[in-house]
């Protein structure tokens, strides 16, 4: 009797990022991937070994020939067992094995048999006796049962400490941890050596395929260096001590996956997504490093399907993120037309609706100091990614689902900087906007229906950066003191801001206005009309949208994001304008 099993882990991020040390985060990420996924590549056995528990090796040892992998990736797997008894044994033995070695991981295994399906779902269409409709019902039932298990476990009360023990950096008693892991008698040197070996295996498991792709691009002198030490990001320039945390997530992935009906389709889709995203990261990193003629440091903390988390130098993070999003689009366009990917992207489309021809994703980038709590930085990056997705859904364009957005934030401190910004915004007028981000990456025009282009933003920053670094002064220069005045006046209202430009005698204000108009107002005259939003015009480096129906103006200060971000977009190397 065929039985289906779903394997998942809850609170993945809480487990992965629970420690301050990056190496521990990498090892935790490796553990989660090892116990929930079955890697396709097995050429080098060292790449898939080393964890105390691995789903693949456990299945091969105890249930060889008794199961079929329906899909695996993104932190979970779905298996089909030939007999209900084998599925039951697997659930008990494997959960116990994971609990024994990793008691802090919340593993969930749900299962169901064919007899539990409604009668109308049992008509067979193929040799497996599974119809397209059946697979959807099976997935739904397994997910629902896993959710019920999670709800029960979350209701449990836990006490980690009685307030008298020495507490470790993860907030739990150190004495308990040592006793549990039987470590008091082990010499510190031996523990360090074991940790180094585990980190090496985690590195090969997590980064193996990425490093292989990079070697294929340049076997002799690859400019991309993968590091597992945050100290390597400490600096050589003005942005010393800052890193960029990139959180990237695909759009409509769950919807596309659940539109598929057959096992071979789910396998092919999972494999295709894994390949496209890994290739996109490798290509973006390599081409960025070559384009800038620099050695690029990067740490892939998480690469699981469409879920990506990377650490880079702060000044590289934004453009690398945009490049990854563009590569995802390009690689998905290059796939063979009419395949499973096309079917998933356009599931539910009508003859009158627009076809989606490529994959899109959204990303958030948190630029923080190296010493900033890593888990908090991850949460900020993921919140920014979520805000980028909200921008996508709020877009008024017909092709909104086929768009990639990016958002970011520069965190100067854990509390003070953010609180100051919120206070300043609270004092501002209702129709004044100090951010133009999130920005759309796959949009050439500066502004379309109220959506701003990352390409236009990047080019404006590049040209202003070039002007500010000129050695010889001329009439086209922009005064750095004028830029500082803008930063101080931005939150004081339009009257104070516009008065600063009107009284400027250095010609800096006029030059800044020219730059904003050049990069964001293509196709618009100085005063033009946007059929969806009303009148739009440019003045003093700001975009003003006049709503003729409601009779009010919306002020968007383009220069705020530009000035705040400029120091964190380019490093010491000069970038040729237009070469991005």
């Amino acid at each position: 009797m065929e039985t289906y099993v779903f394997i998942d882990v809850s609170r993945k991020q809480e487990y992965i990022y629970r420690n301050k040390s990056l190496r521990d985060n990498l090892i935790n990420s490796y553990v989660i991937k090892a116990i929930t996924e079955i890697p396709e590549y097995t050429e080098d056995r060292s790449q898939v070994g080393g964890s105390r528990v691995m789903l693949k090796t456990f299945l091969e040892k105890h249930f060889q020939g008794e199961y079929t992998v329906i899909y695996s990736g993104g932190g979970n797997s779905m298996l089909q067992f030939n007999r209900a008894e084998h599925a039951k044994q697997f659930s008990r033995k494997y959960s116990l094995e994971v609990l024994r070695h990793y008691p802090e991981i919340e593993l969930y295994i749900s299962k169901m048999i064919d007899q539990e399906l409604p009668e109308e779902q049992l008509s067979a269409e193929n040799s497996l006796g599974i119809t397209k409709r059946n697979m959807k019902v099976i997935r739904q039932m397994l997910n629902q049962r896993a959710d019920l298990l999670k709800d029960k476990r979350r209701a449990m009360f836990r006490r980690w400490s009685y307030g008298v023990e020495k507490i470790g950096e993860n907030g739990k008693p150190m004495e308990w941890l040592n006793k549990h892991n039987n470590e008091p008698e082990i010499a510190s040197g031996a523990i360090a050596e074991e940790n180094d070996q585990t980190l090496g295996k985690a590195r090969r498991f997590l980064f193996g395929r990425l490093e292989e792709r990079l070697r294929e691009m340049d076997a002799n002198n690859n400019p991309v260096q993968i590091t597992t030490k945050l100290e390597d990001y400490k600096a050589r320039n003005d942005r010393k001590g800052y890193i960029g945390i990139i959180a990237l997530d695909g759009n409509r992935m769950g919807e596309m996956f659940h539109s598929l009906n057959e096992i071979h389709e789910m396998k092919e889709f999972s494999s295709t997504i894994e390949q496209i995203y890994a290739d996109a990261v490798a290509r973006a990193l390599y081409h960025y490093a070559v384009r800038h003629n620099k050695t690029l440091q990067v740490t892939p903390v998480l690469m699981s399907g469409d879920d990506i988390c990377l650490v880079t130098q702060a000044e590289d993070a934004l453009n690398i993120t945009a490049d990854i999003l563009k590569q995802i689009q390009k690689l998905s366009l290059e796939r063979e037309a009419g395949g499973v990917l096309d079917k998933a992207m356009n599931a539910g489309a009508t003859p009158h609706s627009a076809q989606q021809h490529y994959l899109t994703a959204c990303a958030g980038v948190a630029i923080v100091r190296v010493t900033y709590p890593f888990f908090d930085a991850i949460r900020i990056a993921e919140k920014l990614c979520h805000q980028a997705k909200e921008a996508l859904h709020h877009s008024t364009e017909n092709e909104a689902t086929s768009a990639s957005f990016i958002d970011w934030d520069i965190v100067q401190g854990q509390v003070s900087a953010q609180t100051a910004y919120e206070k300043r915004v609270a004092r501002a007028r209702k129709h004044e906007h100090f951010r133009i981000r999130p920005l759309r990456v796959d949009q050439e025009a500066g502004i379309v229906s109220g959506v701003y282009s990352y390409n236009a933003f990047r080019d404006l920053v590049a040209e202003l950066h070039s002007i500010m670094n000129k050695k010889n002064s001329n009439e086209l220069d922009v005064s750095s003191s004028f830029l500082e005045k803008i930063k101080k006046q931005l939150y004081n209202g339009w009257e104070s801001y516009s008065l600063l430009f009107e009284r400027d005698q250095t010609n800096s204000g006029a030059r800044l206005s020219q730059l904003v108009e050049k990069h964001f107002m293509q196709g618009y005259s100085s005063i033009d009309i946007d059929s969806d939003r009303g009148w739009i015009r440019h003045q003093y480096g700001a975009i003003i949208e006049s709503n003729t129906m409601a009779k009010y103006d919306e002020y968007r200060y383009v220069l705020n994001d530009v000035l705040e971000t400029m120091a964190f977009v380019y490093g010491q190397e000069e970038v040729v304008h237009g070469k991005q």
Side-chain angles (χ1 to χ4, degrees):
M1 185 182 301
E2 291 171 348
T3 304
Y4 304 93
V5 171
F6 178 67
I7 305 162
D8 192 21
V9 168
S10 183
R11 302 176 183 266
K12 295 184 182 74
Q13 293 175 330
E14 182 178 327
Y15 179 81
I16 293 173
Y17 305 117
R18 61 197 178 124
N19 297 324
K20 295 179 181 178
S21 169
L22 176 60
R23 59 181 291 152
D24 290 337
N25 297 148
L26 294 173
I27 291 173
N28 294 339
S29 177
Y30 160 58
V31 168
I32 291 289
K33 197 172 181 69
I35 68 174
T36 59
E37 298 181 28
I38 301 174
E40 295 181 358
Y41 55 100
T42 56
E43 298 86 359
D44 181 359
R45 296 297 297 181
S46 66
Q47 286 188 318
V48 294
S51 175
R52 298 173 196 163
V53 183
M54 295 196 73
L55 178 59
K56 180 179 178 63
T57 55
F58 188 89
L59 286 167
E60 289 179 346
K61 180 179 179 180
H62 299 286
F63 299 95
Q64 190 169 14
E66 301 294 338
Y67 69 95
T68 299
V69 179
I70 297 179
Y71 70 84
S72 181
N76 52 63
S77 293
M78 182 175 171
L79 310 176
Q80 174 186 317
F81 284 86
N82 300 330
R83 294 169 55 189
E85 184 61 29
H86 289 152
K88 184 177 181 180
Q89 291 175 5
F90 166 78
S91 299
R92 289 181 176 178
K93 290 182 179 179
Y94 190 63
S95 58
L96 181 60
E97 190 76 0
V98 172
L99 179 63
R100 180 182 295 117
H101 293 286
Y102 303 107
E104 295 174 340
I105 288 181
E106 294 190 6
L107 178 73
Y108 296 91
I109 301 178
S110 59
K111 61 182 184 295
M112 62 165 293
I113 59 177
D114 279 337
Q115 289 183 345
E116 295 179 277
L117 288 171
E119 290 186 5
E120 63 269 19
Q121 305 293 336
L122 294 176
S123 57
E125 287 188 355
N126 55 36
S127 59
L128 294 176
I130 302 171
T131 65
K132 294 179 180 179
R133 193 178 177 188
N134 281 348
M135 286 309 302
K136 289 185 178 181
V137 174
I138 290 170
R139 284 200 306 269
Q140 290 172 356
M141 292 181 69
L142 288 172
N143 286 328
Q144 289 171 359
R145 293 183 179 188
D147 289 340
L148 288 174
L149 292 173
K150 292 176 183 179
D151 290 340
K152 290 179 180 178
R153 188 164 184 174
R154 286 169 185 164
M156 294 174 62
F157 180 83
R158 299 179 182 181
R159 181 186 293 277
W160 291 113
S161 170
Y162 289 91
V164 295
E165 303 91 345
K166 185 176 181 181
I167 304 301
E169 63 181 24
N170 61 357
K172 298 169 187 175
M174 292 182 65
E175 181 181 358
W176 180 86
L177 289 174
N178 289 338
K179 285 182 179 179
H180 178 79
N181 295 323
N182 297 317
E183 292 180 355
E185 297 81 11
I186 302 177
S188 59
I191 294 174
E193 183 179 355
E194 180 182 355
N195 289 340
D196 288 341
Q197 292 176 353
T198 304
L199 179 63
K201 292 170 182 175
R203 178 192 174 104
R204 288 191 294 272
F205 189 85
L206 295 172
F207 310 156
R209 300 194 76 179
L210 177 60
E211 289 178 319
E212 181 182 337
R213 285 170 166 82
L214 292 170
R215 282 193 299 268
E216 290 174 355
M217 295 178 186
D218 192 338
N220 298 321
N221 187 29
N222 197 298
V224 181
Q225 293 182 353
I226 296 180
T227 179
T228 58
K229 299 178 180 178
L230 285 178
E231 292 79 7
D232 292 342
Y233 294 102
K234 287 179 180 178
R236 308 176 301 270
N237 51 41
D238 294 341
R239 286 149 298 282
K240 65 180 181 178
Y242 279 89
I243 55 176
I245 310 291
I246 302 169
L248 189 148
D249 190 37
N251 296 331
R252 298 182 58 234
M253 280 297 156
E255 178 185 338
M256 286 189 283
F257 182 79
H258 291 299
S259 70
L260 301 174
N261 303 310
E262 299 181 0
I263 293 177
H264 73 87
E265 292 178 336
M266 289 186 284
K267 285 184 177 179
E268 183 179 340
F269 181 80
S270 297
S271 176
T272 299
I273 295 300
E274 190 84 30
Q275 182 178 351
I276 287 175
Y277 275 74
D279 286 344
V281 171
R283 288 192 187 185
L285 293 173
Y286 177 78
H287 292 306
Y288 178 89
V290 171
R291 215 166 48 238
H292 288 253
N293 191 26
K294 68 179 294 185
T295 298
L296 179 65
Q297 292 177 314
V298 63
T299 305
V301 181
L302 180 64
M303 291 184 64
S304 182
D306 68 314
D307 194 3
I308 304 293
C309 178
L310 305 174
V311 181
T312 69
Q313 291 280 9
E315 64 267 27
D316 301 322
L318 290 179
N319 282 332
I320 285 176
T321 304
D323 286 353
I324 294 174
L325 295 174
K326 291 177 182 178
Q327 286 291 341
I328 290 171
Q329 174 180 329
K330 180 180 178 181
L331 289 167
S332 58
L333 275 170
E334 293 174 356
R335 304 292 297 186
E336 183 179 355
V340 170
L341 185 59
D342 280 348
K343 178 180 179 180
M345 287 192 294
N346 294 292
T350 66
H352 303 288
S353 61
Q355 293 287 306
Q356 183 173 340
H357 301 291
Y358 54 84
L359 293 172
T360 62
C362 288
V365 181
I367 297 176
V368 300
R369 294 186 182 275
V370 176
T371 55
Y372 195 86
F374 198 76
F375 180 63
D376 291 342
I378 292 290
R379 291 202 302 182
I380 292 172
E382 291 186 333
K383 180 181 178 181
L384 292 164
C385 181
H386 178 69
Q387 291 175 184
K389 285 182 176 285
E390 286 184 339
L392 181 151
H393 294 302
H394 292 161
S395 171
T396 58
E397 298 184 65
N398 292 329
E399 70 274 16
T401 56
S402 299
S404 296
F405 281 81
I406 180 175
D407 198 1
W408 67 89
D409 198 6
I410 299 167
V411 184
Q412 301 288 356
Q414 293 189 33
V415 178
S416 58
Q418 298 304 103
T419 302
Y421 172 74
E422 290 169 359
K423 287 181 178 179
R424 285 182 291 185
V425 171
R427 292 198 301 266
R429 293 186 302 182
K430 180 178 180 181
H431 300 297
E432 291 187 338
H433 307 277
F434 303 99
R435 305 291 190 211
I436 59 172
R437 51 183 173 82
L439 306 181
R440 181 169 174 176
V441 173
D442 54 334
Q443 175 179 304
E444 293 302 322
I447 309 172
V448 178
S449 299
V451 176
Y452 288 70
S453 164
Y454 178 80
N455 297 329
F457 173 86
R458 176 205 61 202
D459 291 343
L460 191 160
V461 171
E463 189 166 359
L464 181 57
H465 180 276
S466 178
I467 291 172
M468 297 300 295
N469 284 276
K470 283 185 177 180
K471 295 181 180 180
N472 298 320
S473 300
N474 55 51
E475 70 278 8
L476 297 179
D477 282 349
V478 176
S479 167
S480 58
S481 62
F482 186 77
L483 297 182
E484 290 301 318
K485 290 178 181 179
I486 291 177
K487 294 178 183 178
K488 294 178 181 178
Q489 292 294 336
L490 264 170
Y491 299 97
N492 292 332
W494 178 252
E495 290 79 7
S496 296
Y497 176 81
S498 59
L499 190 61
L500 174 65
F501 278 79
E502 291 172 1
R503 292 184 175 182
D504 172 46
Q505 297 180 356
T506 67
N507 203 40
S508 297
R511 180 61 173 143
L512 286 171
S513 295
Q514 291 173 8
L515 291 176
V516 172
E517 184 173 4
K518 172 183 176 181
H519 294 288
F520 280 100
M521 298 295 291
Q522 309 99 317
Y524 293 98
S525 61
S526 58
I527 298 180
D528 208 338
I529 188 168
D530 185 312
S531 59
D532 292 330
R533 305 179 69 86
W535 293 96
I536 180 171
R537 67 185 188 274
H538 162 260
Q539 190 177 18
Y540 303 139
I543 306 298
I544 306 171
E545 300 167 359
S546 298
N547 190 316
T548 54
M549 297 293 294
K551 297 181 180 181
Y552 63 78
D553 290 342
E554 296 278 350
Y555 297 90
R556 299 187 182 275
Y557 298 92
V558 175
L559 292 174
N560 195 25
D561 278 326
V562 171
L563 298 181
E564 183 182 68
T565 310
M566 188 167 63
F568 293 95
V569 174
Y570 297 101
Q572 293 178 335
E573 74 284 349
E574 290 293 332
V575 180
V576 179
H577 179 60
K579 292 293 185 181
Q580 286 291 308

